[in-house]
Amino acid sequence: MKILCVIPARYASTRLPGKPLAMLAGKPMIQRVYERAAQALLPDEVLVATDDERIKEVVEGFGGKAMLTAATHPSGTDRLAEVALSYDKMDVIINVQGDEPMIPPTLIDELCKAFEENPQLQMATAKTLMQPKDYNNPNAVKVVTDQNGYALYFSRSLMPYPRNRTEDYKVYKHIGIYAYRRDFLLKFAALLPTTLEQIEGLEQLRALENGTRIKVLTTDFQGIGIDTQEDLDRANAVLLAQEAARKAAGEGAEKE
């Protein structure tokens, strides 16, 4: 099975223009994401799909691979589908968000394994326990799954609603990393937007409304999705702290 990891990167972000090129601890954000994805063991290739020559030049400048795609795509999924058309030898396409610089390479590998273990699987994503402070935050998307780990619904509203709250009450946050069987991705991108998708503003509901089962893996990863300058500042502080800790640990090892 051949796997392509794609990082869609659009320059014209509404809240943070030029977001992929924003600096994070001395490197452009797109480089941070690319380097994390490249650490995954199972993908055969990592590629940035962008609508902007500046992003392409930066990616190629640090030794990465990039592809220019149309500037008219309404979503990352459509950009992903354009890439998939050019990569007909790939079996699975992993969509890593370009604003998740701390994405665990192991999560990418786990998504790959889900397709290796289940030849019928068409689409997969991930979830993590949500912090209570985000329960009523519409930008923190919630997901509920069945007993086999398949999505029942995604929403910006709190769910499940705790009418009869029990000790094991949990709310899961959807993590925006997606994996698709290539043939399914092309069909999915060609479907018209559905009612629930338009109401919630969540593309994955299009798959559910058309009867596709979405496998949802559970992870401990609590990322910092970067949409605003405040998010960028917070991610920068975390990365700088991590690098300082690694440097200190390395110096300590040398002294020993």
Side-chain angles (χ1 to χ4, degrees), residues 4-65:
L4 174 66
C5 186
V6 181
I7 307 168
R10 189 169 63 94
Y11 188 88
S13 171
T14 304
R15 287 182 285 178
L16 194 61
K19 180 168 64 171
L21 302 185
M23 299 302 289
L24 275 175
K27 293 181 180 180
M29 179 162 61
I30 192 63
Q31 183 174 354
R32 291 281 178 188
V33 179
Y34 192 100
E35 289 176 350
R36 295 289 285 182
Q39 291 174 34
L41 301 176
L42 297 182
D44 295 273
E45 191 174 328
V46 178
L47 173 75
V48 171
T50 183
D51 62 350
D52 194 279
E53 187 67 43
R54 288 165 290 187
I55 296 174
K56 182 173 183 288
E57 288 178 1
V58 167
V59 172
E60 292 174 344
F62 63 71
K65 188 170 183 179

Side-chain angles (χ1 to χ4, degrees), residues 210-228:
N210 280 280
T212 299
R213 300 181 77 199
I214 304 175
K215 184 70 175 180
V216 185
L217 306 185
T218 303
T219 176
D220 294 331
F221 172 59
Q222 295 280 348
I224 301 176
I226 299 173
D227 293 311
T228 65

Side-chain angles (χ1 to χ4, degrees), residues 127-169:
K127 67 177 182 179
T128 191
L129 273 175
M130 179 173 280
Q131 303 297 319
K133 64 181 178 64
D134 283 330
Y135 282 5
N136 295 307
N137 177 3
N139 293 318
V141 177
K142 294 80 177 171
V143 58
V144 291
T145 56
D146 65 18
Q147 294 182 355
N148 294 310
Y150 287 89
L152 291 172
Y153 195 65
F154 298 85
S155 181
R156 297 183 184 277
S157 299
L158 176 62
M159 62 176 197
Y161 181 78
R163 179 180 178 183
N164 299 307
R165 188 164 185 159
T166 61
E167 291 183 1
D168 60 350
Y169 177 73

Side-chain angles (χ1 to χ4, degrees), residues 52-220:
D52 194 279
E53 187 67 43
R54 288 165 290 187
I55 296 174
K56 182 173 183 288
E57 288 178 1
V58 167
V59 172
E60 292 174 344
F62 63 71
K65 188 170 183 179
M67 173 180 171
L68 274 178
T69 53
T72 53
H73 289 310
S75 71
T77 301
D78 297 293
R79 197 174 310 284
L80 202 69
E82 181 183 344
V83 173
L85 285 171
S86 300
Y87 281 80
D88 58 353
K89 302 301 182 185
M90 294 295 174
D91 300 296
V92 172
I93 310 289
I94 309 287
N95 181 352
V96 174
Q97 300 296 329
D99 58 2
E100 282 282 5
M102 301 172 198
I103 195 75
T106 52
L107 178 55
I108 297 172
D109 284 335
E110 287 168 9
L111 285 166
C112 296
K113 289 176 185 175
F115 285 83
E116 290 178 343
E117 295 167 358
N118 183 356
Q120 304 305 314
L121 184 62
Q122 301 298 312
M123 181 175 175
T125 187
K127 67 177 182 179
T128 191
L129 273 175
M130 179 173 280
Q131 303 297 319
K133 64 181 178 64
D134 283 330
Y135 282 5
N136 295 307
N137 177 3
N139 293 318
V141 177
K142 294 80 177 171
V143 58
V144 291
T145 56
D146 65 18
Q147 294 182 355
N148 294 310
Y150 287 89
L152 291 172
Y153 195 65
F154 298 85
S155 181
R156 297 183 184 277
S157 299
L158 176 62
M159 62 176 197
Y161 181 78
R163 179 180 178 183
N164 299 307
R165 188 164 185 159
T166 61
E167 291 183 1
D168 60 350
Y169 177 73
K170 295 177 182 177
V171 178
Y172 283 96
K173 177 182 178 180
H174 174 230
I175 296 175
I177 181 171
Y178 297 93
Y180 307 89
R181 198 132 343 235
R182 177 185 175 275
D183 292 346
F184 169 76
L185 170 62
L186 295 175
K187 293 176 184 176
F188 175 60
L191 293 172
L192 293 175
T194 52
T195 301
L196 293 176
E197 172 190 358
Q198 292 175 314
I199 291 171
E200 292 266 14
L202 299 172
E203 273 187 288
Q204 60 269 36
L205 291 176
R206 188 190 315 174
L208 291 184
E209 287 187 84
N210 280 280
T212 299
R213 300 181 77 199
I214 304 175
K215 184 70 175 180
V216 185
L217 306 185
T218 303
T219 176
D220 294 331

